[in-house]
Every structure is written in C-alpha cells, then in structure tokens.
Amino acid sequence: MSAKQHRECYGNMIPDFEHLQYNKPTDGKAFRVFVENVGAGRQRREQEVKLECWDECAGCADYRACYDLSMAKLALHRVLAQC
C-alpha cells in the first residue's frame, strides 16, 4: 500500500509550537503567533489569522483531514507540555 501524496502544508495550518521562539513570529499555513519575552515573563501574546491563506485552506480538497491533523498535533503538544 502506498501513502497518499499531500501538499507540503498538509497538517500545518497551526504553527508548530515545538519550534516557538520568543520575540519572533512563528507561522503555520493559516495562523501566525508572536510571544514577546523581555526580562522575566511574557509581556505580549498575539495571534493572527492569515485570511488569504485560510481561504486557500478552506477551498482545498484535503481541508477536513488537514484541519483534523493540525488539531491533533496541537492537542498532543498541549499534553506533552503538561508532562
């Protein structure tokens, strides 16, 4: 059985929080986050929806499965962060 070919962005709508860096935007296909850290603690958190990319994602034939994979990756990250 061969694996289905997917676009490079498949499963990456949401930023990969494993690679989050402070004071630098972290991008997913449809979302961007920014966490400012100056001194002790985080001073600012921002999120951005990249609407043009979101529309592209929403129109993709693989949208539902891609969204599900993106959310599953996010849920796993949250669990690992609590371990």
Side-chain angles (χ1 to χ4, degrees), residues 19-67:
H19 296 102
L20 178 72
Q21 295 180 6
Y22 295 129
N23 305 320
K24 182 178 178 185
T26 304
D27 285 302
K29 170 73 176 172
F31 301 93
R32 172 180 290 141
V33 296
F34 177 81
V35 179
E36 182 179 57
N37 185 1
V38 180
R42 290 173 284 285
Q43 279 70 39
R44 182 171 52 135
R45 295 179 180 98
E46 296 178 0
Q47 65 183 18
E48 175 187 346
V49 178
K50 299 187 284 185
L51 288 176
E52 186 174 312
C53 294
W54 175 257
D55 289 341
E56 184 181 328
C57 290
C60 179
D62 285 331
Y63 168 77
R64 186 67 227 184
C66 179
Y67 177 82

Side-chain angles (χ1 to χ4, degrees), residues 11-21 26-29 31 33 73-74 77:
N12 295 308
M13 289 181 183
I14 298 168
D16 180 357
F17 289 98
E18 287 292 316
H19 296 102
L20 178 72
Q21 295 180 6
T26 304
D27 285 302
K29 170 73 176 172
F31 301 93
V33 296
K73 289 169 54 177
L74 179 61
H77 174 77

